[in-house]
Structures are given as C-alpha cells and as structure tokens.
Amino acid sequence: MSHNDEIDCSGMSCPLPVVKSKMKIDTMNPGEVLKIITTDPGSCKDIPAWANRVGHEMIEEAEENGKYYFLVKRGE
Amino acid sequence: MSESFSASEMYTWMEEGVPHLYLDVRNEADFSRFHVEGPQDIELLNIPYFDFLEKPEETVAKLDASRSVRVICAKEGSAQFIADMLEEFGFGDIQWLAKGIIAWGNVLVAKQVPTPDHYELWQFNRPGKGSCAYGLIHKGELMLFDISKNLEFYRNFARARNLSLVAVFETHLQADYISGGPSLASEFEVDYIAHEGDFSSSNVTYRAVVDGESIGFSKAGGPSVLCTHSPGHTPGSTTYVIDDKYMISGDTVFIVSVGRPDLGKKVVEWAKQLYATLKNRISVLPDELMVLPSHYTDWTKEANGDHLIINDFGTVKALNESIYALASEDEFVSWVEANMRPQPEEYNRIRRVNANIETVDLATAEELDLGKNQCAASQG
C-alpha cells in the first residue's frame, strides 16, 4: 500500500518512536497514511497500541531484518 | 530532572506501606500480562505514556499533584519522560523505576526463617514472579534450592557470609522461570541434584536424587535433607524435608492450593499421580512441618506477619480442606479438570531452556522469564 509520508525511527528507543510518529502524523491530513520504521522491540506493541488508542488506524505491520514497519492512517 | 528509584527500594516501600501512587505507563496489554504486586496493597494506575503525549493537560489532571508518584515502564525511557513531564506540571515528588519492569521481575528478597541456632534457613522471595528459592547453611556450607537465573545475587550472598556452596537442589523441572541451578552448580563444581523423572531426557548434567535418601553437610551435627519423590505436578517432583521440621515442597504443596498437574498435557495420568502423592506420601507427614513452597499467588493469604511465605502443614491442610478431603482418585481428577486453565505460551520454551535442549540469549531469557507464575491447580 502506498503512503503519504514516512518517518525513520531506527536506533531510537522508547518513548521516542511514538513521540516522533505523533509529531509527524499531527502535521498530516485525516485519511493520509504514515509509514513508520523502528528497530526498538518495544515499539512493536507500542505503535499499534498508540495508534488504536488515539483514533488512528493500523493498516499494516511487518518485520524484516531486525526492522519493524508500520502503516498508520491518520484518524479524524 | 526527575530522579530514579531501584526495584529493591520499591519492594521496601511496599513492605513498609509507604503510600506512593504507582503509575505504570506501559500499554494496556503489557500491563495486564504482568504488573507490580507486593506484600501490601498498593495504589497502582495504568495510563499508557502515549495518553500523556496526545492529551497532556487532560491526562495529567487525572493525577493529584500533591501525591508522591512513582512511574514504571518497560525499560525506563518512557517512565523518565513522563516523570519529567509531571515535574513540569508542578508535581513535587516524582521518581521513575530504573531499568524498568524487568528489574522488578528480577528482585530477590532474602529473609531468614526461624530455625534452631545451629543452622540457618533463608527464603529468597522473588515478588515479581511469586516464587521462592531457599538456602540452608551449616558451619560455613551452603545448600541452595530452586534458584533463579540471578546468579550474581547468590554469589554475593555466599561471598558476604564466607560460605562455600556444596550442592544445588531442584524440586522439579521449572516451567515458569529460568533456573540458575545448572549454571551455578557447574561454576562451583558441586552437584546439581534433581530427579530423573524430570531430567533423564534433558541435556543437563545432574546427580539423580533417590527417593528416601538423606543428604547431609560434611560437618557433623548439621540438618539432614530427606528426599521424598512426590510426582504429580511433574513426574520428577521431589519434596525435601529438612531436619524433620521444614518441607521444601516445590510445586507439590502450596500454602493455598496444590501444584497443577496439567502442564505436561497428560492431565489424567499426572493428576492420578498427584492424588496418590498427596494421599500416601504427603498427608502422612507431621502437621508440625513448616511448609516452604516454590510459589505463591496471594500475599495476604500466603505470607505471615514477617512477610515470609510459610505456614505449618496442619494449617495448610485446613486452608485447603476441599482439596485434601477429595475422597477418591476420580473426584480429584474431576476437580483438577474443572480448575484447568491455559498455561502461558512461554512455559514450553522455558522447560526446554531448563532442560538445556534450547539455549537463548539474555534478552530472550529476560522476556521469557517475565510474568507471574501460573503454577497452582486452583485460583482464588
């Protein structure tokens, strides 16, 4: 799936991946999709938990070569 | 900038009843899987850190700025972040847990069990797991039972008291935490003593315990350790009776409930073994024996006034009358089946690690090892 913007949080540890993702998605429009890249294992649960809790939509989660990829659609 | 506190300090606050408000900022799933519990009830809130990011004023308003707040997260980064935020909002007494919830999961609290003067018996309580290990000391020699992987704690315990380790016992192949027994025994070149019923197909080097044998210290006059095979929770479960006064009961007898016999997926077979064990090998032991179990679930019911997990066997039987009074094997099996619940998915892997069939790196070991035990046959 295509995305509108991307943020690479590789090497960052908790809480920074969520902090940076929040700041980025706040600049986007409802319905647009943000791609998030992380390496912190804690982020695998925290990114989806954050997205669902604050009204965004988790579209895709994947792991490849020690990196985690997420597609999050901005809520209203 | 806010300051940190250690997991050991947190235990002490709980034991002393210091009225902090504990704020766990992990996600709800991780919180519900495992959270802090201590010897006394605490005020514990779970508000994920991203709530504070998303709606700072509204979320902070849920907390009373006049309280002392202690913030907990997975590692420490988020707790520190939220603690700093609360300080900016004018909270005066805020600290965050150093090294996170894993540090709490590994805390060990050493307490001495009252004994006759010529030997010492210690309970090493791991409140994050709800598990207990034991140390028996006579004239400079130390025997350990059911130790966890925090080897540094046990090395320091022995070094500080100038003790030489002479044996490490295991009551059974543990499923809920990673054992430190084989590593410590090999490091100090002493026997790792366990039952072949659990260890014959493992890759662990062990000295097979024989039912009915008595193992003692090298110097005369010390307490004996009488080894009683007590299968049921596992086929090799063994109860160690010390000096005819204490029963290191493993996961056979708990202060509340008995060890669940369904973890090996042979529930009927193992439940029958447990019934026979309780009836023929355990119930016949004297009521005066003090029970020292490997696990507990509920501090308020299972700890004494000194926060030791201990009670006399007569009282234990009375507390669990409905279990010990089950009149037939069939009734017992039905009771076990009625109380069955899923076992945590990591238990199978922990067993493989404890049998040295699989090795894992430290981060995986910490992850597997986190969480409260689910070893009792009944809840509540």
Side-chain angles (χ1 to χ4, degrees):
Chain A
M1 180 161 176
S2 66
H3 51 275
N4 304 89
D5 211 337
E6 180 175 313
I7 183 159
D8 188 348
C9 302
S10 299
M12 294 179 192
S13 59
C14 196
L16 285 177
V18 172
V19 172
K20 299 285 181 191
S21 300
K22 177 207 154 33
M23 287 165 71
K24 177 62 95 175
I25 209 164
D26 282 354
T27 67
M28 296 166 61
N29 296 313
E32 288 186 330
V33 174
L34 174 65
K35 179 178 182 179
I36 304 166
I37 303 163
T38 68
T39 50
D40 178 21
S43 65
C44 327
K45 285 181 198 157
D46 281 0
I47 296 280
W50 157 72
N52 290 325
R53 194 165 170 97
V54 303
H56 304 313
E57 187 186 341
M58 265 315 297
I59 295 178
E60 212 174 295
E61 296 169 55
E63 183 189 351
E64 204 177 306
N65 300 327
K67 291 202 175 211
Y68 307 100
Y69 300 88
F70 308 89
L71 290 179
V72 179
K73 185 194 270 187
R74 187 186 156 147
E76 294 303 317
Chain B
M1 293 289 281
S2 54
E3 293 184 351
S4 68
F5 63 94
S6 73
S8 299
E9 277 179 90
M10 179 157 69
Y11 176 83
T12 306
W13 292 332
M14 290 181 189
E15 196 174 278
E16 292 172 354
V18 180
H20 294 309
L21 173 64
Y22 294 93
L23 172 65
D24 190 323
V25 298
R26 292 176 300 151
N27 66 64
E28 288 173 306
D30 284 348
F31 177 81
S32 63
R33 181 183 159 215
F34 175 58
H35 53 256
V36 170
E37 281 177 67
Q40 302 198 53
D41 284 343
I42 54 168
E43 271 185 84
L44 176 63
L45 283 178
N46 175 219
I47 306 178
Y49 65 90
F50 26 85
D51 284 15
F52 288 91
L53 298 176
E54 210 65 36
K55 294 174 178 166
E57 287 82 8
E58 199 178 304
T59 309
V60 171
K62 293 177 180 173
L63 304 168
D64 178 353
S66 70
R67 294 291 303 272
S68 56
V69 183
R70 298 294 177 265
V71 192
I72 297 164
C73 73
K75 284 188 200 148
E76 68 178 29
S78 302
Q80 184 175 9
F81 184 88
I82 299 303
D84 287 344
M85 179 192 260
L86 291 172
E87 272 199 346
E88 282 169 29
F89 271 89
F91 284 64
D93 183 0
I94 304 292
Q95 292 179 3
W96 45 275
L97 174 60
K99 298 178 185 159
I101 196 81
I102 285 175
W104 169 250
N106 284 328
V107 163
L108 288 171
V109 180
K111 278 189 196 290
Q112 206 171 341
V113 177
T115 57
D117 288 342
H118 64 290
Y119 63 93
E120 290 177 25
L121 181 54
W122 288 76
Q123 183 172 67
F124 307 111
N125 190 332
R126 188 176 171 194
K129 177 63 68 180
S131 66
C132 296
Y134 296 92
L136 183 63
I137 301 170
H138 178 252
K139 292 191 173 165
E141 293 182 341
L142 170 66
M143 295 176 177
L144 290 170
F145 300 77
D146 283 356
I147 60 170
S148 62
K149 64 178 168 48
N150 189 350
L151 302 187
E152 195 53 24
F153 174 91
Y154 293 103
R155 287 188 201 110
N156 289 339
F157 181 87
R159 201 180 297 133
R161 290 163 185 78
N162 206 16
L163 301 172
S164 27
L165 183 64
V166 293
V168 181
F169 294 77
E170 200 80 83
T171 56
H172 65 292
L173 181 70
Q174 310 281 351
D176 68 299
Y177 66 87
I178 294 176
S179 171
S183 306
L184 200 69
S186 135
E187 182 180 320
F188 286 85
E189 299 179 342
V190 300
D191 281 342
Y192 178 59
I193 299 172
H195 197 280
E196 62 181 10
D198 286 3
F199 285 85
S200 62
S201 58
S202 76
N203 293 327
V204 173
T205 303
Y206 71 105
R207 202 277 254 168
V209 68
V210 179
D211 179 45
E213 79 172 305
S214 184
I215 296 174
F217 288 92
S218 72
K219 297 183 181 103
S224 59
V225 179
L226 175 66
C227 309
T228 301
H229 185 212
S230 50
H233 176 67
T234 63
S237 284
T238 300
T239 298
Y240 300 107
V241 175
I242 293 170
D243 193 30
D244 295 327
K245 292 184 174 64
Y246 308 91
M247 181 201 306
I248 293 188
S249 61
D251 284 16
T252 301
V253 172
F254 294 137
I255 307 293
V256 172
S257 198
V258 294
R260 58 191 290 191
D262 62 307
L263 291 178
K265 293 175 182 153
K266 295 179 183 168
V267 54
V268 174
E269 186 184 327
W270 290 17
K272 286 178 179 176
Q273 284 186 352
L274 182 58
Y275 178 75
T277 288
L278 293 174
K279 189 168 193 286
N280 305 323
R281 321 210 76 182
I282 299 294
S283 292
V284 295
L285 294 169
D287 284 356
E288 295 73 33
L289 278 189
M290 299 304 288
V291 175
L292 295 166
S294 276
H295 290 107
Y296 59 93
T297 308
D298 187 337
W299 281 92
T300 58
K301 292 178 185 159
E302 298 179 82
N304 71 6
D306 298 321
H307 307 294
L308 278 168
I309 309 296
I310 189 169
N311 215 325
D312 67 87
F313 188 42
T315 304
V316 166
K317 281 190 287 189
L319 285 170
N320 300 286
E321 198 185 353
S322 61
I323 303 172
Y324 288 91
L326 289 166
S328 70
E329 190 183 80
D330 286 349
E331 278 180 42
F332 187 80
V333 172
S334 303
W335 174 80
V336 167
E337 288 177 325
N339 282 282
M340 269 171 60
R341 59 198 187 282
Q343 60 177 304
E345 57 190 33
E346 62 272 18
Y347 276 18
N348 199 36
R349 199 146 174 231
I350 293 175
R351 270 189 289 262
R352 290 170 56 82
V353 172
N354 283 338
N356 197 23
I357 291 166
E358 182 180 347
T359 49
V360 292
D361 60 33
L362 184 63
T364 310
E366 293 287 9
E367 175 70 18
L368 284 172
D369 214 39
L370 190 67
K372 190 175 175 178
N373 83 85
Q374 295 284 340
C375 296
S378 52
Q379 292 177 296

